[in-house]
Amino acid sequence: MPDATSKKRPAKLKAEAARPAGVRRADAAHFPGSSVHASLANEIGLRIVRGDYPPGTILPNEAKWSETFDVSRSAVREAIKMLMAKSLLSSRPKIGSWVEPKERWNLLDRDVLAWYATSPDREVFLRTVQEFRHIIEPEASAFAAMRRTDEQMAEISQACREMGEATNLQERTRADTRFHLAILRASGNDLLVPLGVLIESAFDHLFAYTTRELDDLQHAQRLHEAIEKNIRLQRPAAARAAVHRLLANTDDVIGRSRR
């Protein structure tokens, strides 16, 4: 979660805080350096997740997509296959492709998470990620305090330090995410490591949002430093309690967005 070494936000952080998130170009299907079918899948996937095509909707056919985005039908077919692999779509001959119910979507897919994070109902996304953190992070931190190696501790400490030294939103968000993922790795549970990698983009979006909304970055930094200290000193109960305090602070930030 977000923080910085002084109560005042760096000028760059203030400037970036005013920038709206999730703004996309109208021709998003044609990103330079990206394959046509991947770009098309990204555009259609975003439209599905943000609600342009609700579950059960029959999507336009290949010819229509091809005309709309000025791409080949083969690119459309590959894009649809990508979205089917993410469980957003199903398809049958003579019927076409339709949007699957949300409960079938693979929300642990990096792309789907990124689309989910930029959808209009951001509050639902933020609360979902935060609930996940309440379930996982306190115990992961306690295990990290008991099991972490010196190398893992160095990684946690460095990420925490880089959070406080960050001069812009992107630097701070990336350091924040590295801090929490490093703790999951240090927990010593083999299932948490791949899970952390899968939700990395969700952490990025959550921490970017909370960093922009925080009034006191210094306080948030101290909360992270308390977690780092208790893991370093191998105090599992204290590490767990420190995480609960950090999560409560984030809950308050998210709660303010509803008012």
Side-chain angles (χ1 to χ4, degrees), residues 196-216:
V197 172
L198 285 170
I199 64 168
E200 182 175 355
S201 65
F203 278 7
D204 279 348
H205 282 90
L206 173 65
F207 299 152
Y209 173 83
T210 50
T211 297
R212 286 193 297 266
E213 297 298 317
L214 272 172
D215 296 323
D216 189 348

Side-chain angles (χ1 to χ4, degrees), residues 104-133:
R104 296 185 185 175
W105 298 353
N106 181 8
L107 289 178
L108 291 180
D109 179 273
R110 284 173 178 263
D111 292 333
V112 179
L113 268 176
W115 302 330
Y116 188 18
T118 56
S119 65
D121 200 355
R122 167 168 295 190
E123 184 187 321
V124 172
F125 168 77
L126 295 174
R127 283 193 280 107
T128 299
V129 178
Q130 190 66 2
E131 286 173 2
F132 171 88
R133 298 182 67 204

Side-chain angles (χ1 to χ4, degrees), residues 71-104:
V71 297
S72 67
R73 292 196 182 192
S74 62
V76 174
R77 282 193 292 273
E78 290 303 312
I80 295 301
K81 286 179 184 177
M82 288 181 66
L83 295 172
M84 289 174 65
K86 300 174 188 297
S87 300
L88 266 67
L89 298 178
S90 284
S91 182
R92 284 184 189 169
K94 298 183 179 180
I95 296 177
S97 303
W98 67 89
V99 180
E100 287 278 57
K102 184 177 178 181
E103 57 267 22
R104 296 185 185 175

Side-chain angles (χ1 to χ4, degrees), residues 5 7 14-15 18 31 41 54 58 62 77 79 111 114 122 124-125 135-136 157-158 183 187 202 204-205 243 250 259:
T5 53
K7 193 165 184 175
K14 279 187 176 179
F31 293 144
I58 303 293
E62 284 183 13
R77 282 193 292 273
D111 292 333
R122 167 168 295 190
V124 172
F125 168 77
I135 294 167
I136 298 295
S157 299
Q158 180 178 351
I183 291 174
S187 72
D204 279 348
H205 282 90
V243 173
T250 309
R259 295 197 287 269

Side-chain angles (χ1 to χ4, degrees), residues 1-3 163 172-180 207 224:
M1 214 200 80
D3 353 313
M163 287 177 62
R172 184 174 184 77
T173 299
R174 293 306 299 152
D176 201 348
T177 299
R178 286 197 305 275
F179 176 80
H180 292 280
F207 299 152
H224 283 81

